[in-house]
Amino acid sequence: MKAVQTICRQLRNSKGFFVEPTPCVGFSTSYSRGRKKKMNPYEEVDQGKYSDLVQSVLSFRGHAQTPESLFEEDTLLYGPVSKCKPPKQDEEARITENWFPLLNPEKSLKPNATNDATIPLKIPLQRNKIPSVTRVLQQTMTSEQIFYLERWKQRMILELGEDGFAEYTSNIFLQGKQFHEALESILSPQGNVKERDENLTSGYIESIQHILKDVSGVRALESAVQHETLKYVGLLDCVAEYQDKLCVIDWKTSEKPKPLIRNTFDNPLQVVAYVGAINNDSNYSFQVQCGLIVVAYKDGSPAHPHFMDTELCSQYWAKWLLRLEEYTKKEKKQNIQKPD
């Protein structure tokens, strides 16, 4: 220790150096030529004034946080969490009160060779009080479907105006009609050869060329069907074999791509309604188990085919029966409310 004090005394007497013993082991040196020591800003804080606050924070011991306590604090600060209610069990497992099979056990699945004419059936639709498939689906749309349809309509009116929107919808209807007429002339053996060649230049027809290669054995074109037990009617587009499977084929046009079957909205219900009607219509000697929705595009881009096998048709058939049942109940309720 004496040796250290001697060294410090010598350094103190030397010019330009200042040494101060510290309580820690070793010593620190700093070169100083009249430069003032830099003050720490925290040293200017009134530590006595805030000592109680610091002491209270450091000495506080709260209860351990748990998920339950955190949720309670959030509820207190921000209010209760708005949670979507899960669907009720009875809604998930909703079953029609009047079940009816899709297939007819009294009708053979194999077409009768003697009745399998080369000319496709084309039964005219009789206008009567029996509801059509289209009407049933329109009258039983969900509130969500109605909302989005109305929003699309209002957006189009804002863009095109009332007259422009009316013209737009008229053109869409006309294009669809011409598309179906072109298909009829192509698929019917009685079709005009000249008309077929002219139709090949259409964008919609060009769009479905790869589908038509797999279509054969046409049995019905633009033909009416009636379910003789469930009492509804419809006008189907086509019944033919697609990839060797007999199907009800529904031809659709669209301005937007529809690569998934869910993009076609209620079209699968329309198809299975026709399937069930054919199987229970005495005008048709054959029975159908499958469906096909073909979405064609005006620009000629490849159409999207949505094949519905027997299992998928059965699933949509159950949904169709629910919609038909809902429509029947609505009609009965309205008839009761009507004054005599």
Side-chain angles (χ1 to χ4, degrees):
M1 187 67 185
K2 289 181 179 181
V4 174
Q5 290 177 351
T6 303
I7 295 171
C8 290
R9 194 178 298 113
Q10 292 175 355
L11 290 172
R12 192 183 299 117
N13 294 332
S14 65
K15 295 180 179 180
F17 287 92
F18 175 79
V19 178
E20 181 181 355
T22 61
C24 14
V25 178
F27 57 91
S28 64
T29 62
S30 62
Y31 181 75
S32 175
R33 284 185 179 270
R35 187 170 60 182
K36 293 182 180 181
K37 183 179 178 181
K38 187 177 181 181
M39 294 296 294
N40 190 329
Y42 291 102
E43 292 179 0
E44 298 177 0
V45 176
D46 188 351
Q47 297 183 9
K49 180 179 179 181
Y50 296 101
S51 60
D52 293 339
L53 175 61
V54 175
Q55 184 64 24
S56 65
V57 172
L58 295 176
S59 62
F60 175 76
R61 292 184 179 180
H63 298 289
Q65 292 281 43
T66 62
E68 291 77 12
S69 65
L70 289 173
F71 282 126
E72 289 177 1
E73 290 181 8
D74 288 345
T75 301
L76 181 63
L77 292 171
Y78 309 110
V81 178
S82 177
K83 297 180 180 179
C84 296
K85 294 182 179 180
K88 295 180 180 179
Q89 191 67 24
D90 57 347
E91 291 180 354
E92 290 181 348
R94 190 180 165 201
I95 300 175
T96 180
E97 297 174 3
N98 301 307
W99 175 259
F100 199 91
L102 176 64
L103 300 179
N104 188 347
E106 298 179 0
K107 194 181 277 190
S108 174
L109 291 174
K110 295 182 179 180
N112 191 334
T114 57
N115 294 330
D116 188 16
T118 55
I119 300 177
L121 289 171
K122 189 175 181 179
I123 302 172
L125 181 64
Q126 301 295 329
R127 300 294 178 182
N128 49 40
K129 293 184 178 181
I130 299 177
S132 67
V133 173
T134 303
R135 176 172 174 78
V136 171
L137 293 175
Q138 287 177 345
Q139 295 296 317
T140 57
M141 291 173 63
T142 64
S143 56
E144 185 180 10
Q145 287 176 314
I146 295 172
F147 168 78
Y148 284 115
L149 181 61
E150 185 62 26
R151 189 176 71 171
W152 170 81
K153 180 180 176 181
Q154 294 301 325
R155 187 172 66 245
M156 294 296 290
I157 290 175
L158 284 173
E159 183 179 343
L160 303 175
E162 291 282 355
D163 295 338
F165 179 71
E167 184 179 355
Y168 170 81
T169 53
S170 178
N171 289 335
I172 292 294
F173 175 78
L174 181 60
Q175 289 176 9
K177 183 181 178 182
Q178 291 174 344
F179 176 54
H180 283 81
E181 289 175 351
L183 277 168
E184 187 176 354
S185 67
I186 291 171
L187 296 173
S188 174
Q190 296 177 314
N192 188 298
V193 177
K194 184 179 179 181
E195 287 182 359
R196 292 182 197 177
D197 294 338
E198 291 176 352
N199 290 327
L200 290 175
T201 61
S202 166
Y204 290 123
I205 299 301
E206 182 185 350
S207 177
I208 62 171
Q209 282 303 303
H210 64 294
I211 308 292
L212 292 176
K213 293 177 181 178
D214 292 324
V215 175
S216 61
V218 180
R219 290 180 171 83
L221 285 171
E222 299 294 329
S223 188
V225 290
Q226 177 175 336
H227 199 296
E228 296 169 354
T229 304
L230 296 180
K231 303 299 180 185
Y232 65 83
V233 298
L235 187 67
L236 56 81
D237 291 345
C238 178
V239 177
E241 292 182 5
Y242 173 71
Q243 297 180 349
D244 299 327
K245 294 184 182 297
L246 191 62
C247 302
V248 168
I249 303 177
D250 200 27
W251 307 100
K252 298 294 182 184
T253 60
S254 176
E255 294 181 348
K256 295 181 179 180
K258 294 184 178 181
L260 303 174
I261 193 169
R262 67 169 177 264
N263 301 139
T264 63
F265 305 105
D266 282 343
N267 291 155
L269 300 181
Q270 185 179 16
V271 169
V272 295
Y274 294 155
V275 170
I278 285 177
N279 296 341
N280 292 273
D281 190 331
S282 58
N283 291 314
Y284 298 86
S285 62
F286 51 85
Q287 191 159 206
V288 184
Q289 299 184 76
C290 304
L292 178 68
I293 301 170
V294 181
V295 185
Y297 305 110
K298 188 176 182 179
D299 62 358
S301 57
H304 283 113
H306 302 292
F307 177 72
M308 302 167 61
D309 59 14
T310 307
E311 183 180 354
L312 189 58
C313 282
S314 298
Q315 294 175 15
Y316 279 108
W317 175 250
K319 295 179 180 180
W320 161 250
L321 290 178
L322 287 172
R323 296 283 286 270
L324 182 61
E325 184 176 273
E326 182 183 348
Y327 173 83
T328 304
K329 289 180 178 179
K330 282 185 176 181
E331 288 295 303
K332 287 182 178 179
K333 187 176 179 180
Q334 290 178 0
N335 291 334
I336 292 173
Q337 292 176 348
K338 286 181 179 179
D340 295 334

